[in-house]
Amino acid sequence: MIKDSTVAATNIAVPPIIMIPRVEMRVVVKFDNGVRYGGWVALQGMLCSNPKIWRLLIKYDDGESSYEIFPDPKNSIELLEDNQSDSRSSSLERQKDLASLSSSAAATAVA
């Protein structure tokens, strides 16, 4: 009896491709209440290299910010590859935020 190879191929679990988070990358985060909020990655650092796990500081469009783990167990963080839709003024605002984050981190390290 010959088995259909297309049926066998559909049963193979393929791991998802995980994008690498970058500073200034746009994100959408789905919260427990189901609401999705847009923002961008202000800082990122690798917590673990195998498997690859990052800690992200996400600055939301409404002014709030939070540290998150990516990839997260709930798959609530979506990295958006295309930053072309951002306006130049919002990019300048992010650069100012990044500069203030860097200076406050340096001040904390000295203290």
Side-chain angles (χ1 to χ4, degrees):
M1 182 168 151
I2 299 174
K3 293 184 178 181
D4 186 357
S5 61
T6 58
V7 173
T10 59
N11 293 333
I12 297 172
V14 178
I17 297 173
I18 297 177
M19 291 175 50
I20 297 172
R22 297 182 320 271
V23 172
E24 291 197 11
M25 180 179 268
R26 293 287 302 166
V27 297
V28 174
V29 180
K30 182 178 177 184
F31 283 79
D32 291 337
N33 62 3
V35 178
R36 297 165 47 100
Y37 292 95
W40 56 280
V41 177
L43 296 171
Q44 65 96 340
M46 185 173 280
L47 289 177
C48 182
S49 61
N50 190 14
K52 293 187 184 309
I53 300 173
W54 290 269
R55 183 174 185 200
L56 309 177
L57 174 60
I58 298 177
K59 303 253 322 181
Y60 295 96
D61 296 338
D62 65 0
E64 296 291 321
S65 61
S66 67
Y67 281 97
E68 303 292 338
I69 301 297
F70 179 82
D72 63 313
K74 296 179 184 179
N75 291 320
S76 60
I77 300 173
E78 179 183 353
L79 301 178
L80 304 177
E81 193 168 13
D82 184 12
N83 288 340
Q84 300 300 321
S85 63
D86 290 345
S87 68
R88 182 153 174 79
S89 63
S90 65
S91 179
L92 290 173
E93 289 172 15
R94 281 200 299 275
Q95 289 175 3
K96 289 177 187 174
D97 285 343
L98 288 172
S100 69
L101 286 170
S102 296
S103 62
S104 65
T108 303
V110 172

